Amino acid sequence: MNFEQLLAAVGGFGRYQKTLYVWICLPQILLAFHMMASVFTGATPPHQCRSARPGVPYGNLTRAHMLEFQLANFSELFPAGRVDSCSVVSAENQSVRSSCEEGWVYSHDVFETTTVTEWDLVCEKSSLNSIGSSIYMLGLLVGAVVFGAMADRYGRRFALLLSLALQTVFGVTAAFSPTFLVYVILRFLIGTTISGVIINAFVLGTEWTSTKRRMLAGIFTDYFFGFGYMLLAGVAYLIRDWRKLQLTISVPGFLFIFYIWVLPHSARWLLLNDRKEEAIVLLRKAAVVNGRPFPTTLQVDMCDAMQGQGQHSAADLLRTPQMRKRALILFYIWFVNVLVYYGLSLGVSDLGTDVYLTQFLFGLVEIPARSLVLVLLPCSRRLPLSIFLFIGGGACLLMLAVPADLPNIQTALAMTGKFGITASFAIIYIYSAELFPTVLRQTGIGVSSMFARMGGVLAPIINLLGRQNPVVPVLIFGSTPLLGAALALALPETASKPLPDTIQDAERFTIQKYDQDLPEDSIQSPSSTEGQELQRLTNKSP
């Protein structure tokens, strides 16, 4: 009896698994908090050089005057022609400009404090804010490698518990950062733990879930991320100080201490690591909770662990023609999805509308996007992926035709783009796992995830280019998905089709006859289905 059959015998998605998914879904809310917090904690409010006001000594504006500063009364507070955001005109010689030696005064209309106002990350230092966001995204890449390897050696449960603990500690510590450098380092460390939680929570869930329910269960966890996305808007609206907000989104992590007692090991991982007795105890418990009889000892003894993937490396993804074509297309689509997803998400404050309402709507739009994916996936993978990429890119390009004085229309188009990218993002995980053959599935998903993280690193930098030319980010976020939509059509359909186990199987697949050229012995047994389904989302992350 292979593990998939054993899991079905004790209940592939019974009460035991549903309870487990409750524990898995709850941290997704905090993940969304940390992923999107910089929209508020790193916002750049309107600002001007600190200058003399009649009757007030130069450089000594009182707190009352600083709070008074808003766009509406800017001309009254600072006489026209004397000052701008990054330089000040000399009162003695108006032809001479100097830098803001006395610092800046910031509007407190929307934000009380941010990291920008705390450390004056404006003018010549404005790029540091975006670089900090890119370093955070780099942490996600490093975390996928570190905590992925840790999970394989010490177990999903250990890696997940450690990630949650470190995420909480680093998150709380970041709220007391004395310098911007310390803050960026702590954000990098938070990013590594985010990947640790995403990877191991998802894998732990899929390793306890039957094949037929994994797609639904996997996408269901993403709803909680969307809920956290929306909830953050409300929390940030109530808490306008960045340190208090950082503390508020981090402290709830201490509540997960009870996971030490309720979070189980992966029975599959225990079997693979010769810890059979512990695996049997967990499987017996699952059978009892699910109201199923436990298989006999003889049947358990016959349980097969997953077979190794052989001597294959990442180079095999590019060694043969069909495999090379599909791998390169998938790498590009992963890259584009994360690039545009976070490019739009982190650029909310640049749209010129209420940042809190827009953040809420950007989270809300993820719910219908993922729901529509659940409806369409049984019919096709290739066409919905292409269509959603086209919607995401097309909506971004349409923003170029909207005047800057119509921010509501631009925001609506950005939301449409976010809808398309979110949907395509949900599809690409499943589609990639079905296109990579079993012997290369984990390697293929791992390399794809690396390309995705590169997109996340570049997204804040591309948004930074918008400070010089607002057209550049929109053009990039619009054109790259359109190319991805065209490339997706060159991929074969996988819905309701037998999946490849070997590189030779993958080479025999064609778009027109995806399943007709496969010999009967290449169609997976339950054990190979187990291998391909379980390996496919090892590196999943928002």
Side-chain angles (χ1 to χ4, degrees), residues 450-527:
M450 290 182 64
F451 276 89
R453 296 307 171 201
M454 292 177 189
V457 171
L458 289 177
I461 297 176
I462 292 175
N463 276 332
L464 179 61
L465 297 177
R467 306 281 176 87
Q468 305 298 324
N469 188 344
V471 172
V472 173
V474 179
L475 189 62
I476 294 174
F477 296 149
S479 58
T480 50
L482 293 183
L483 177 58
L487 292 174
L489 296 176
L491 297 172
E493 182 57 74
T494 61
S496 304
K497 302 294 193 298
L499 308 182
D501 282 325
T502 66
I503 296 176
Q504 290 72 24
D505 292 341
E507 287 300 303
R508 283 193 290 264
F509 289 177
T510 63
I511 296 178
Q512 292 79 16
K513 298 182 178 181
Y514 187 73
D515 57 336
Q516 295 178 12
D517 295 333
L518 284 174
E520 291 184 2
D521 60 359
S522 71
I523 298 178
Q524 295 90 286
S525 64
S527 61

Side-chain angles (χ1 to χ4, degrees), residues 286-339:
V288 171
V289 174
N290 292 337
R292 296 289 191 92
F294 190 68
T296 64
T297 303
L298 177 62
Q299 287 175 314
V300 173
D301 288 340
M302 295 172 60
C303 178
D304 299 320
M306 288 188 299
Q307 298 299 314
Q309 296 190 25
Q311 301 300 317
H312 291 283
S313 66
D316 292 317
L317 293 169
L318 305 176
R319 204 177 300 280
T320 55
Q322 290 298 321
M323 193 72 259
R324 179 167 55 248
K325 181 183 75 172
R326 292 178 193 135
L328 292 175
I329 291 174
L330 289 173
F331 294 162
Y332 177 78
I333 294 176
W334 277 72
F335 170 83
V336 166
N337 267 287
V338 174
L339 174 74

Side-chain angles (χ1 to χ4, degrees), residues 187-202:
R187 283 280 291 169
F188 171 84
L189 295 174
I190 293 171
T192 63
T193 64
I194 293 293
S195 280
V197 176
I198 291 173
I199 292 171
N200 294 293
F202 198 90

Side-chain angles (χ1 to χ4, degrees), residues 202-498:
F202 198 90
V203 171
L204 182 62
T206 56
E207 291 185 345
W208 270 108
T209 308
S210 61
T211 302
K212 292 182 179 179
R213 296 296 186 95
R214 282 179 194 140
M215 182 185 75
L216 176 61
I219 294 180
F220 182 73
T221 60
D222 293 333
Y223 283 105
F224 280 77
F225 185 90
F227 175 71
Y229 202 128
M230 292 184 288
L231 184 60
L232 176 62
V235 174
Y237 180 82
L238 296 175
I239 303 174
R240 306 294 181 98
D241 178 272
W242 81 266
R243 291 185 183 273
K244 294 177 182 177
L245 178 59
Q246 178 65 35
L247 198 60
T248 301
I249 66 176
S250 301
V251 167
F254 286 113
L255 298 176
F256 293 126
I257 191 172
F258 76 94
Y259 274 30
I260 296 174
W261 296 280
V262 302
L263 201 67
H265 276 289
S266 165
R268 191 184 308 264
W269 180 85
L270 291 173
L271 288 172
L272 286 173
N273 287 271
D274 298 323
R275 295 167 63 174
K276 180 180 174 182
E277 292 76 13
E278 295 176 66
I280 291 176
V281 170
L282 285 176
L283 289 167
R284 193 183 301 277
K285 180 179 179 181
V288 171
V289 174
N290 292 337
R292 296 289 191 92
F294 190 68
T296 64
T297 303
L298 177 62
Q299 287 175 314
V300 173
D301 288 340
M302 295 172 60
C303 178
D304 299 320
M306 288 188 299
Q307 298 299 314
Q309 296 190 25
Q311 301 300 317
H312 291 283
S313 66
D316 292 317
L317 293 169
L318 305 176
R319 204 177 300 280
T320 55
Q322 290 298 321
M323 193 72 259
R324 179 167 55 248
K325 181 183 75 172
R326 292 178 193 135
L328 292 175
I329 291 174
L330 289 173
F331 294 162
Y332 177 78
I333 294 176
W334 277 72
F335 170 83
V336 166
N337 267 287
V338 174
L339 174 74
V340 180
Y341 181 91
Y342 286 110
L344 292 175
S345 298
L346 298 178
V348 165
S349 58
D350 297 329
L351 293 173
T353 54
D354 185 285
V355 65
Y356 300 102
L357 177 60
T358 305
Q359 173 77 5
F360 176 83
L361 294 176
F362 266 45
L364 181 64
V365 78
E366 294 201 2
I367 295 178
R370 300 187 191 282
S371 300
L372 188 57
V373 166
L374 288 176
V375 174
L376 296 178
L377 273 185
C379 304
S380 174
R381 270 66 155 159
R382 179 168 62 102
L383 290 179
L385 177 63
S386 179
I387 291 171
F388 285 128
L389 283 169
F390 180 83
I391 292 173
C396 289
L397 288 181
L398 285 176
M399 292 175 65
L400 296 175
V402 179
D405 57 353
L406 295 175
N408 290 334
I409 297 179
Q410 286 193 338
T411 301
L413 289 172
M415 287 179 56
T416 303
K418 178 76 170 357
F419 172 89
I421 289 299
T422 299
S424 66
F425 205 0
I427 293 173
I428 195 62
Y429 282 111
I430 298 169
Y431 199 18
S432 298
E434 295 173 338
L435 285 173
F436 289 123
T438 303
V439 295
L440 285 172
R441 187 156 290 116
Q442 182 166 353
T443 301
I445 296 296
V447 176
S448 298
S449 180
M450 290 182 64
F451 276 89
R453 296 307 171 201
M454 292 177 189
V457 171
L458 289 177
I461 297 176
I462 292 175
N463 276 332
L464 179 61
L465 297 177
R467 306 281 176 87
Q468 305 298 324
N469 188 344
V471 172
V472 173
V474 179
L475 189 62
I476 294 174
F477 296 149
S479 58
T480 50
L482 293 183
L483 177 58
L487 292 174
L489 296 176
L491 297 172
E493 182 57 74
T494 61
S496 304
K497 302 294 193 298

Side-chain angles (χ1 to χ4, degrees), residues 165-180:
L166 293 178
Q167 175 186 297
T168 303
V169 172
F170 292 145
V172 170
T173 306
F176 300 96
S177 300
T179 66
F180 181 67

